[in-house]
Amino acid sequence: MYHLLIIVIILSFSSIPIAFAVDEAFPSVPTTFRVATKHSDDQKPIRREVYGGERKIFDISHQYTPELPVWESSEGLGRFMRLAVSMKNGSVANISKMKLSVHSGTHVDAPGHFHEHYYDSGFDSDSLDLQILNGPALLVDVPRDKNISAEVMKSLHIPKGIRRVLFKTLNTDRRLMFKKEFDSSFVGFLIDGAKWLVENTDIKLVGLDYLSFAAYDEAPATHRFILERRDIIPVEALKLDDVEVGMYSLHCLPLRLVGAEGAPTRCILIK
């Protein structure tokens, strides 16, 4: 009778639906229960660029890999990260360390990047306005084979009141951010285009799809002009592949690097 009672209790519990929370922190790794499980050796994460269904989230930040291009180098980023503490060597956890420029991959520029007095005064990446870095943004297509001059800016017909604009250029078509060797022929702003932007628009965030928002030959002058005002934030090396033109909700969060004139940044677009 005792054994029969145990069997009845077990069968009764097996018929009751029990809800367990799905592990949403790692949506690419399917799990049924929030319990410790033994992972098979062939289990691998699925890396995604677009999340969600109707309300899509586009990751417009580049992955950090040794092949990521860096300014004026043919070698790419190289080995920037190492496993300093390893469980394979008996440690209780894995701990990686990395060394790279703050202007690597998708990043922001702070005023101190091209102005020494701003650098000394503390106008660093931690001082950038999150209200500018987050909010409605317009993604526009720049005419191909052209740097962004005053003439090009006029042709884009960006409405007044738009504060954040991402410029999709030939750089995306050429997939320059996926090529290890730096390419100085990238498309960017010319100084007259930057001046037109300041004088004729309300733009406070400028996003571009290569390592510099300013064209190579005029990069120092254009950076100095934009950053001198301290009210416009350049976001550089955005990944705009397969993202259509239009209005989005932009969210960019730079690392809070006190004293740094730039910072790696995770940027997403929500449609």
Side-chain angles (χ1 to χ4, degrees):
M1 181 64 181
Y2 178 73
H3 294 292
L4 178 59
L5 180 61
I6 293 176
I7 294 171
V8 170
I9 292 172
I10 292 173
L11 289 174
S12 298
F13 270 102
S14 66
S15 65
I16 299 173
I18 301 174
F20 290 89
V22 175
D23 190 347
E24 294 179 351
F26 299 93
S28 59
V29 182
T31 58
T32 307
F33 310 117
R34 193 183 293 276
V35 294
T37 58
K38 183 179 179 181
H39 296 285
S40 62
D41 293 336
D42 61 349
Q43 189 174 36
K44 296 184 185 300
I46 300 170
R47 305 187 189 279
R48 292 184 285 178
E49 308 302 319
V50 183
Y51 297 77
E54 249 181 69
R55 189 169 167 80
K56 285 186 169 58
I57 300 174
F58 298 87
D59 193 335
I60 58 170
S61 314
H62 280 279
Q63 293 176 329
Y64 284 78
T65 69
E67 290 74 35
L68 192 70
V70 296
W71 189 259
E72 294 186 333
S73 170
S74 61
E75 301 301 319
L77 191 57
R79 189 187 175 196
F80 67 97
M81 184 169 60
R82 67 184 182 89
L83 191 60
V85 177
S86 172
M87 294 177 70
K88 289 183 174 63
N89 293 333
S91 298
V92 297
N94 293 315
I95 301 175
S96 296
K97 290 185 178 181
M98 61 183 184
K99 183 178 181 181
L100 72 169
S101 161
V102 295
H103 300 276
S104 303
T106 305
H107 66 279
V108 296
D109 286 347
H113 187 26
F114 274 85
H115 293 281
E116 188 173 7
H117 60 291
Y118 287 158
Y119 182 87
D120 293 340
S121 298
F123 288 99
D124 53 22
S125 62
D126 187 49
S127 70
L128 296 176
D129 190 345
L130 289 181
Q131 289 184 307
I132 293 177
L133 287 160
N134 296 270
L138 176 64
L139 173 61
V140 299
D141 237 342
V142 174
R144 299 307 188 248
D145 297 321
K146 288 188 177 182
N147 279 312
I148 305 174
S149 61
E151 180 185 0
V152 168
M153 282 299 298
K154 288 179 192 175
S155 72
L156 293 173
H157 303 293
I158 297 169
K160 279 280 193 179
I162 297 291
R163 303 186 71 213
R164 304 164 194 84
V165 179
L166 311 182
F167 296 84
K168 187 176 183 179
T169 75
L170 186 64
N171 302 331
T172 293
D173 296 350
R174 295 175 63 196
R175 295 182 63 79
L176 293 187
M177 284 300 298
F178 296 93
K179 297 177 181 179
K180 182 171 68 171
E181 187 170 354
F182 174 76
D183 191 331
S184 63
S185 68
F186 68 89
V187 171
F189 268 85
L190 300 177
I191 186 69
D192 72 318
K195 288 180 178 178
W196 196 95
L197 179 148
V198 168
E199 294 167 1
N200 298 279
T201 76
D202 298 316
I203 297 172
K204 298 302 177 187
L205 181 146
V206 175
L208 224 82
D209 49 3
Y210 199 56
L211 293 168
S212 167
F213 83 94
Y216 183 75
D217 289 338
E218 299 187 12
T222 307
H223 272 88
R224 280 194 292 269
F225 174 75
I226 288 294
L227 294 173
E228 184 177 18
R229 304 173 55 82
R230 302 206 317 266
D231 63 346
I232 298 176
I233 302 176
V235 184
E236 298 166 327
L238 291 170
K239 183 173 65 61
L240 301 177
D241 310 74
D242 303 320
V243 186
E244 297 179 355
V245 299
M247 289 297 301
Y248 294 85
S249 180
L250 171 70
H251 301 276
C252 290
L253 296 175
L255 294 180
R256 298 188 67 178
L257 301 178
V258 176
E261 76 295 334
T265 303
R266 189 70 177 263
C267 288
I268 63 170
L269 290 175
I270 302 177
K271 186 66 172 176

